[in-house]
Amino acid sequence: MNEKEIAEIRRRFRADKSNITHVRGCYVNEKKEIVSSFYQPVALLPQAESEALLTILKKTLTGTLGKNLVDISFATQQVVDGPEHKLLMGLRANALRDSDGVDALFQQIIQALDMEGNYLILLTCDAYDVPYRGKDGEDFDDGATEVYTYILCSVCPVKMTKPALSFAVHDNAFHNLSPDWVIAPPELGFLFPAFDERSTNLYGALYYTRDEKNNHPQFAKAVFNAPLLMPAAAQRDTFHTILEESLAEDCRYQVVQAVNDQLRELISEHKENKVREPLTISGGAMGQMLTHCGVAEERADDFAQRYSDAFGPDTRLSPRNLADTRQLEIAAGEVKIQVSAQRGDLVQTRLIDGERYILVRAEDMVTVNGVPINF
């Protein structure tokens, strides 16, 4: 799924837009025990609670593609007779009315998920009359192309608030607010089936994780029986290690800055050209990029091989996961220098009398703790 398709479904989570009639769920304690299960008709909720519930569910479709939102692909054999896919298809077909199927999914999630504290598992189903969209991007509500029926699952931690002091205006007095349990935004979840090319794709799902350091692979294995790429933070760390090891003594500031600039330009061009498909890059393309940055061909080939070994020969990663394209951070022990990614030219590295130095050209006023200083 691309950003526009995700945004189109995300806009469904409003009381006046969705066809969501009910939400099923269960409350799980720290011992992995279901404390209670519920079937909540949305229409019976007060407006404020209904809007709050839809807002929580909508957060399962937020974040960055390739980092928080990841496409899941099912193999053909899974779609034919895989038990995980069959369960999801059954839940979608009966709009979550099959209690045995719902309970089976709950147990899959609970047994696989390693999450501290109490949490809620929320399930909902929606049927979207996908409007025909003209070449100019305008929707025609009277020309629906198909009905896209999907289920959304959100796993939300339940956390205890802290005691607080409030002031009640109506009686002009202070009151203590007692601690209470509140539903936090989703930690993870998924959308099934995928909405690709603005149409139903039974061979795909969209997986969400809030934390870029932990994408809960056991959850994905239990629900989809499909492997996940390593978390975004681990992708970045692995990329840095591969770059350092393959370049060896050629791993200089100018080279790393140039690689960062190349990735930033890729992202910028992808956005400016309004390309629908998510931006990804292969190890081979990264190797070619290194040669353009002045790296010797044999070192670039070594990088491509290490990239393939670490991520897989056909794996394509999001450039946004590989480098911070907003700023450069130069660190040396307790010293950290942060520079806008576009102004990496202000920094130089020098070897003076056998000592290593980082030089920053000061084009504007220099301040120390906010105090302008003279040279």
Side-chain angles (χ1 to χ4, degrees), residues 338-375:
Q338 292 181 338
V339 185
S340 170
Q342 292 87 345
R343 295 313 311 270
D345 60 297
L346 295 176
V347 180
Q348 297 181 32
T349 56
R350 294 282 183 85
L351 195 63
I352 303 175
D353 297 332
E355 297 289 343
R356 296 178 300 168
Y357 288 87
I358 301 169
L359 306 182
V360 182
R361 188 169 74 253
E363 292 186 343
D364 299 314
M365 179 184 297
V366 178
T367 65
V368 177
N369 288 345
V371 180
I373 61 170
N374 297 314
F375 282 74

Short mmCIF file of all heavy atoms in Angstrom, two decimals, residues 338-375:
data_model
loop_
_atom_site.label_atom_id
_atom_site.label_comp_id
_atom_site.label_asym_id
_atom_site.label_seq_id
_atom_site.Cartn_x
_atom_site.Cartn_y
_atom_site.Cartn_z
N GLN A 338 25.57 18.91 15.63
CA GLN A 338 24.44 18.63 14.76
C GLN A 338 24.35 19.70 13.67
O GLN A 338 24.37 20.89 13.96
CB GLN A 338 23.14 18.57 15.56
CG GLN A 338 23.06 17.39 16.51
CD GLN A 338 21.76 17.34 17.28
OE1 GLN A 338 21.07 18.34 17.42
NE2 GLN A 338 21.41 16.15 17.76
N VAL A 339 24.29 19.25 12.44
CA VAL A 339 24.27 20.14 11.29
C VAL A 339 23.11 19.75 10.39
O VAL A 339 22.82 18.56 10.21
CB VAL A 339 25.59 20.03 10.49
CG1 VAL A 339 25.63 21.05 9.35
CG2 VAL A 339 26.79 20.21 11.40
N SER A 340 22.43 20.73 9.82
CA SER A 340 21.39 20.45 8.85
C SER A 340 21.96 19.59 7.73
O SER A 340 23.09 19.81 7.27
CB SER A 340 20.83 21.76 8.28
OG SER A 340 19.97 21.50 7.18
N ALA A 341 21.18 18.62 7.27
CA ALA A 341 21.68 17.70 6.25
C ALA A 341 22.10 18.44 4.98
O ALA A 341 22.99 17.99 4.26
CB ALA A 341 20.60 16.67 5.92
N GLN A 342 21.47 19.59 4.71
CA GLN A 342 21.81 20.34 3.52
C GLN A 342 23.11 21.13 3.65
O GLN A 342 23.64 21.63 2.67
CB GLN A 342 20.69 21.33 3.16
CG GLN A 342 19.39 20.68 2.70
CD GLN A 342 18.47 20.33 3.85
OE1 GLN A 342 18.89 20.32 5.01
NE2 GLN A 342 17.22 20.03 3.54
N ARG A 343 23.64 21.26 4.88
CA ARG A 343 24.84 22.06 5.09
C ARG A 343 25.99 21.25 5.66
O ARG A 343 26.78 21.72 6.48
CB ARG A 343 24.54 23.26 6.00
CG ARG A 343 23.57 24.28 5.44
CD ARG A 343 23.89 24.69 4.00
NE ARG A 343 25.28 25.05 3.77
CZ ARG A 343 25.76 26.29 3.92
NH1 ARG A 343 24.95 27.28 4.30
NH2 ARG A 343 27.03 26.54 3.67
N GLY A 344 26.12 20.03 5.21
CA GLY A 344 27.25 19.22 5.63
C GLY A 344 28.58 19.77 5.16
O GLY A 344 29.64 19.44 5.70
N ASP A 345 28.54 20.68 4.15
CA ASP A 345 29.77 21.30 3.64
C ASP A 345 30.43 22.22 4.65
O ASP A 345 31.60 22.61 4.48
CB ASP A 345 29.46 22.09 2.36
CG ASP A 345 28.45 23.20 2.62
OD1 ASP A 345 27.30 22.89 2.98
OD2 ASP A 345 28.81 24.38 2.46
N LEU A 346 29.70 22.58 5.72
CA LEU A 346 30.27 23.46 6.74
C LEU A 346 31.28 22.73 7.63
O LEU A 346 32.03 23.36 8.38
CB LEU A 346 29.16 24.04 7.62
CG LEU A 346 28.16 24.99 6.93
CD1 LEU A 346 27.07 25.39 7.91
CD2 LEU A 346 28.87 26.22 6.39
N VAL A 347 31.29 21.40 7.56
CA VAL A 347 32.13 20.60 8.45
C VAL A 347 33.28 19.98 7.67
O VAL A 347 33.11 19.51 6.54
CB VAL A 347 31.30 19.49 9.13
CG1 VAL A 347 32.17 18.65 10.06
CG2 VAL A 347 30.13 20.08 9.89
N GLN A 348 34.46 20.00 8.27
CA GLN A 348 35.63 19.34 7.71
C GLN A 348 36.32 18.54 8.81
O GLN A 348 36.20 18.85 10.00
CB GLN A 348 36.63 20.35 7.13
CG GLN A 348 36.09 21.18 5.99
CD GLN A 348 37.14 22.15 5.46
OE1 GLN A 348 38.34 21.84 5.49
NE2 GLN A 348 36.69 23.30 5.00
N THR A 349 37.06 17.51 8.40
CA THR A 349 37.90 16.77 9.35
C THR A 349 39.35 16.99 8.94
O THR A 349 39.68 16.94 7.74
CB THR A 349 37.56 15.28 9.34
OG1 THR A 349 37.68 14.77 8.00
CG2 THR A 349 36.16 15.03 9.85
N ARG A 350 40.20 17.24 9.92
CA ARG A 350 41.62 17.52 9.65
C ARG A 350 42.51 16.74 10.62
O ARG A 350 42.12 16.47 11.76
CB ARG A 350 41.91 19.01 9.80
CG ARG A 350 41.23 19.92 8.79
CD ARG A 350 41.94 19.89 7.45
NE ARG A 350 41.31 20.82 6.52
CZ ARG A 350 41.59 22.12 6.46
NH1 ARG A 350 42.47 22.65 7.29
NH2 ARG A 350 40.98 22.89 5.57
N LEU A 351 43.71 16.42 10.14
CA LEU A 351 44.75 15.84 10.98
C LEU A 351 45.84 16.90 11.11
O LEU A 351 46.53 17.22 10.13
CB LEU A 351 45.30 14.56 10.35
CG LEU A 351 46.13 13.65 11.25
CD1 LEU A 351 45.29 13.11 12.40
CD2 LEU A 351 46.71 12.49 10.43
N ILE A 352 45.98 17.48 12.30
CA ILE A 352 46.92 18.58 12.53
C ILE A 352 47.90 18.16 13.62
O ILE A 352 47.49 17.88 14.75
CB ILE A 352 46.19 19.87 12.94
CG1 ILE A 352 45.15 20.26 11.87
CG2 ILE A 352 47.18 21.02 13.16
CD1 ILE A 352 44.29 21.45 12.25
N ASP A 353 49.20 18.12 13.24
CA ASP A 353 50.24 17.71 14.18
C ASP A 353 49.92 16.37 14.85
O ASP A 353 50.13 16.18 16.06
CB ASP A 353 50.47 18.79 15.26
CG ASP A 353 50.98 20.09 14.67
OD1 ASP A 353 51.65 20.03 13.61
OD2 ASP A 353 50.70 21.15 15.25
N GLY A 354 49.36 15.46 14.07
CA GLY A 354 49.05 14.13 14.58
C GLY A 354 47.77 14.03 15.38
O GLY A 354 47.42 12.94 15.83
N GLU A 355 47.07 15.15 15.57
CA GLU A 355 45.81 15.14 16.33
C GLU A 355 44.63 15.31 15.37
O GLU A 355 44.72 16.04 14.37
CB GLU A 355 45.80 16.29 17.36
CG GLU A 355 46.87 16.19 18.43
CD GLU A 355 46.59 15.08 19.42
OE1 GLU A 355 45.44 14.60 19.48
OE2 GLU A 355 47.54 14.67 20.11
N ARG A 356 43.54 14.61 15.66
CA ARG A 356 42.34 14.70 14.81
C ARG A 356 41.46 15.86 15.26
O ARG A 356 41.21 16.04 16.46
CB ARG A 356 41.55 13.39 14.88
CG ARG A 356 42.31 12.19 14.32
CD ARG A 356 41.52 10.91 14.45
NE ARG A 356 41.21 10.63 15.84
CZ ARG A 356 40.33 9.70 16.25
NH1 ARG A 356 39.66 9.01 15.35
NH2 ARG A 356 40.14 9.49 17.52
N TYR A 357 40.96 16.63 14.29
CA TYR A 357 40.12 17.78 14.59
C TYR A 357 38.88 17.78 13.70
O TYR A 357 38.92 17.34 12.55
CB TYR A 357 40.89 19.10 14.37
CG TYR A 357 41.94 19.38 15.42
CD1 TYR A 357 43.23 18.88 15.29
CD2 TYR A 357 41.64 20.15 16.54
CE1 TYR A 357 44.20 19.11 16.24
CE2 TYR A 357 42.61 20.41 17.50
CZ TYR A 357 43.88 19.89 17.35
OH TYR A 357 44.83 20.14 18.30
N ILE A 358 37.79 18.28 14.28
CA ILE A 358 36.57 18.54 13.51
C ILE A 358 36.46 20.06 13.39
O ILE A 358 36.41 20.77 14.40
CB ILE A 358 35.32 17.98 14.22
CG1 ILE A 358 35.45 16.47 14.42
CG2 ILE A 358 34.05 18.29 13.42
CD1 ILE A 358 34.39 15.89 15.35
N LEU A 359 36.43 20.57 12.16
CA LEU A 359 36.36 22.02 11.93
C LEU A 359 34.98 22.38 11.39
O LEU A 359 34.48 21.75 10.46
CB LEU A 359 37.43 22.45 10.93
CG LEU A 359 38.88 22.04 11.26
CD1 LEU A 359 39.82 22.58 10.20
CD2 LEU A 359 39.28 22.55 12.63
N VAL A 360 34.38 23.40 11.98
CA VAL A 360 33.07 23.87 11.55
C VAL A 360 33.20 25.32 11.13
O VAL A 360 33.59 26.18 11.94
CB VAL A 360 32.02 23.75 12.67
CG1 VAL A 360 30.66 24.21 12.16
CG2 VAL A 360 31.94 22.32 13.19
N ARG A 361 32.92 25.59 9.87
CA ARG A 361 33.00 26.97 9.38
C ARG A 361 31.82 27.78 9.94
O ARG A 361 30.67 27.39 9.77
CB ARG A 361 32.99 26.98 7.86
CG ARG A 361 33.28 28.37 7.27
CD ARG A 361 33.53 28.31 5.77
NE ARG A 361 32.31 28.10 5.01
CZ ARG A 361 32.00 26.95 4.40
NH1 ARG A 361 32.81 25.90 4.49
NH2 ARG A 361 30.88 26.83 3.71
N ALA A 362 32.11 28.87 10.60
CA ALA A 362 31.08 29.70 11.23
C ALA A 362 30.69 30.83 10.29
O ALA A 362 31.36 31.86 10.21
CB ALA A 362 31.58 30.24 12.56
N GLU A 363 29.60 30.65 9.54
CA GLU A 363 29.16 31.68 8.61
C GLU A 363 28.30 32.74 9.30
O GLU A 363 28.22 33.87 8.84
CB GLU A 363 28.36 31.05 7.46
CG GLU A 363 29.21 30.18 6.55
CD GLU A 363 28.42 29.69 5.36
OE1 GLU A 363 27.16 29.75 5.42
OE2 GLU A 363 29.04 29.25 4.38
N ASP A 364 27.64 32.36 10.38
CA ASP A 364 26.73 33.28 11.07
C ASP A 364 27.27 33.55 12.48
O ASP A 364 28.35 33.09 12.86
CB ASP A 364 25.32 32.68 11.14
CG ASP A 364 24.74 32.44 9.76
OD1 ASP A 364 24.83 33.34 8.92
OD2 ASP A 364 24.20 31.34 9.54
N MET A 365 26.49 34.30 13.24
CA MET A 365 26.86 34.61 14.62
C MET A 365 27.02 33.33 15.42
O MET A 365 26.26 32.39 15.28
CB MET A 365 25.78 35.49 15.26
CG MET A 365 26.05 35.86 16.71
SD MET A 365 24.67 36.79 17.43
CE MET A 365 24.67 38.25 16.40
N VAL A 366 28.04 33.31 16.28
CA VAL A 366 28.29 32.16 17.15
C VAL A 366 27.87 32.51 18.56
O VAL A 366 28.22 33.58 19.08
CB VAL A 366 29.78 31.77 17.12
CG1 VAL A 366 30.04 30.61 18.07
CG2 VAL A 366 30.21 31.40 15.71
N THR A 367 27.11 31.61 19.19
CA THR A 367 26.65 31.83 20.55
C THR A 367 27.07 30.66 21.42
O THR A 367 27.19 29.52 20.94
CB THR A 367 25.13 32.02 20.63
OG1 THR A 367 24.49 30.81 20.23
CG2 THR A 367 24.67 33.16 19.74
N VAL A 368 27.27 30.90 22.71
CA VAL A 368 27.54 29.87 23.70
C VAL A 368 26.48 29.99 24.77
O VAL A 368 26.40 31.00 25.46
CB VAL A 368 28.95 30.01 24.32
CG1 VAL A 368 29.16 28.97 25.40
CG2 VAL A 368 30.01 29.90 23.24
N ASN A 369 25.62 28.98 24.88
CA ASN A 369 24.48 29.03 25.80
C ASN A 369 23.66 30.30 25.57
O ASN A 369 23.16 30.92 26.50
CB ASN A 369 24.94 28.97 27.25
CG ASN A 369 25.43 27.58 27.64
OD1 ASN A 369 25.17 26.61 26.94
ND2 ASN A 369 26.15 27.49 28.73
N GLY A 370 23.52 30.66 24.28
CA GLY A 370 22.71 31.81 23.94
C GLY A 370 23.43 33.14 23.95
O GLY A 370 22.86 34.16 23.56
N VAL A 371 24.69 33.18 24.40
CA VAL A 371 25.45 34.43 24.50
C VAL A 371 26.33 34.57 23.26
O VAL A 371 27.19 33.72 23.00
CB VAL A 371 26.34 34.46 25.77
CG1 VAL A 371 27.10 35.77 25.83
CG2 VAL A 371 25.47 34.28 27.02
N PRO A 372 26.15 35.64 22.45
CA PRO A 372 27.01 35.85 21.27
C PRO A 372 28.46 36.06 21.72
O PRO A 372 28.74 36.75 22.72
CB PRO A 372 26.45 37.12 20.64
CG PRO A 372 25.06 37.25 21.18
CD PRO A 372 25.11 36.68 22.56
N ILE A 373 29.39 35.45 20.99
CA ILE A 373 30.80 35.60 21.33
C ILE A 373 31.57 36.16 20.14
O ILE A 373 31.13 36.09 18.99
CB ILE A 373 31.43 34.26 21.76
CG1 ILE A 373 31.37 33.23 20.60
CG2 ILE A 373 30.74 33.70 22.99
CD1 ILE A 373 32.18 31.99 20.85
N ASN A 374 32.73 36.76 20.46
CA ASN A 374 33.61 37.30 19.43
C ASN A 374 34.81 36.37 19.23
O ASN A 374 35.18 35.60 20.10
CB ASN A 374 34.12 38.69 19.84
CG ASN A 374 32.98 39.69 19.96
OD1 ASN A 374 32.13 39.74 19.09
ND2 ASN A 374 32.99 40.48 21.02
N PHE A 375 35.44 36.46 18.05
CA PHE A 375 36.63 35.67 17.74
C PHE A 375 37.85 36.57 17.86
O PHE A 375 37.81 37.73 17.44
CB PHE A 375 36.54 35.11 16.32
CG PHE A 375 35.62 33.91 16.23
CD1 PHE A 375 34.25 34.06 16.29
CD2 PHE A 375 36.13 32.63 16.08
CE1 PHE A 375 33.41 32.96 16.22
CE2 PHE A 375 35.28 31.52 16.00
CZ PHE A 375 33.94 31.70 16.07
#
